[in-house]
Amino acid sequence: AAGAAAGAAAGLWPARVDTIAPHLTDQPELLTQRREAIDLEIGLLEDTQELQRGVFEVSAELVGCVEEGDARNRFAAAMRRYWSCHEADLLLWERGAWRSLGGPGTGVTKPPLDRPVLLPDENDGDLVLDLSPGVAGQAALVLRGAEPQPSLRGRSEADQRYVAEVLRGQLALSLRRVMLYTELQALARVDPLTGVHRRWYGERRLEELVNAGEVVAVAMVDIDRFKTINDGHGHAA
């Protein structure tokens, strides 16, 4: 029975192939073209997968970025995977003015934030990412004179915008982490009751200044019978 079934299947197979795809069996060149088309499609999928993998690797690389002074260089390095530039600015709106984190503090102009992403072709050669979701106010990363790297060169505007959008999300999260770390540092550094620096911070700054060879003067002030002020009027007074 098994042999008969196998024979029947063998007899039916050629007819089945001819029925489904006679154009492939009769015209081998069509089969070759189909294989080439499939290989091209697989290559494009692998290329897209590699691009996406590189974009999401940025998130892992930025986990250790918590210092304000380090953020601009780390953010610029992440972006330079895909766009080269001659200068990068990480800008933060603070106290009624734009401040450059990790860069010069003067001459900072307002970045265009009418859209989440402005590609270089849309903004006189500058790439702008709106990182405002990462802060309480507004923030932006500006790559001046941005040019696509080989990994993006020749790709469509939609592909470039996709990469920029994903990077924008990763950088906004990282900026939020930087700002939270800065706030925690301030809380640890300053006494909330008096508003002055805590002792450990003063000792550390003194050590830093001495090690740097700075000329340092230390003044100590004592107020006689100050305890009576606390006892009579309270610590707040």
Side-chain angles (χ1 to χ4, degrees):
L12 288 173
W13 174 247
R16 181 64 176 167
V17 172
D18 292 341
T19 301
I20 295 175
H23 59 286
L24 295 182
T25 56
D26 296 341
Q27 303 180 49
E29 66 277 6
L30 292 179
L31 181 59
T32 301
Q33 292 175 6
R34 179 57 180 159
R35 285 173 177 167
E36 291 175 350
I38 291 174
D39 290 341
L40 178 61
E41 187 174 354
I42 291 175
L44 291 173
L45 289 173
E46 291 175 345
D47 190 30
T48 301
Q49 184 182 36
E50 183 63 28
L51 183 64
Q52 291 175 341
R53 184 183 297 113
V55 169
F56 285 102
E57 282 176 359
V58 170
S59 178
E61 295 174 359
L62 291 174
V63 167
C65 179
V66 293
E67 296 280 357
E68 271 194 19
D70 189 36
R72 183 176 69 96
N73 292 334
R74 296 283 289 271
F75 285 19
M79 293 299 298
R80 283 192 174 105
R81 282 184 169 211
Y82 303 99
W83 283 274
S84 63
C85 67
H86 59 76
E87 187 181 4
D89 278 336
L90 181 55
L91 305 176
L92 179 68
W93 178 257
E94 191 175 72
R95 298 176 183 174
W98 286 97
R99 178 168 71 95
S100 178
L101 273 65
T106 58
V108 176
T109 58
K110 178 183 177 180
L113 297 179
D114 53 323
R115 278 177 285 170
V117 171
L118 279 175
L119 295 175
D121 291 342
E122 302 171 313
N123 191 42
D124 296 328
D126 292 347
L127 173 64
V128 180
L129 302 184
D130 184 354
L131 303 185
S132 299
V135 298
Q138 289 183 300
L141 180 67
V142 182
L143 301 186
R144 308 197 184 280
E147 293 283 347
Q149 297 280 27
S151 56
L152 279 185
R153 203 168 295 152
R155 289 185 175 272
S156 67
E157 180 182 323
D159 286 345
Q160 294 189 36
R161 190 174 300 279
Y162 166 77
V163 172
E165 286 280 7
V166 175
L167 289 171
R168 171 179 172 265
Q170 304 293 339
L171 295 176
L173 286 173
S174 184
L175 181 59
R176 181 58 181 158
R177 185 164 52 246
V178 169
M179 302 312 296
L180 286 173
Y181 181 77
T182 301
E183 292 173 10
L184 289 174
Q185 286 287 89
L187 288 173
R189 209 167 45 230
V190 177
D191 176 65
L193 177 62
T194 61
V196 300
H197 289 121
R198 296 182 187 274
R199 174 176 172 173
W200 72 266
Y201 179 72
E203 292 177 345
R204 190 180 74 176
R205 284 293 296 137
L206 181 61
E207 183 179 0
E208 290 174 354
L209 292 170
V210 171
N211 291 338
E214 299 285 345
V215 177
V216 179
V218 177
M220 299 187 69
V221 179
D222 181 45
I223 302 176
D224 293 337
R225 296 180 298 277
F226 191 69
K227 184 176 184 298
T228 60
I229 301 297
N230 286 334
D231 292 345
H233 302 282
H235 288 276

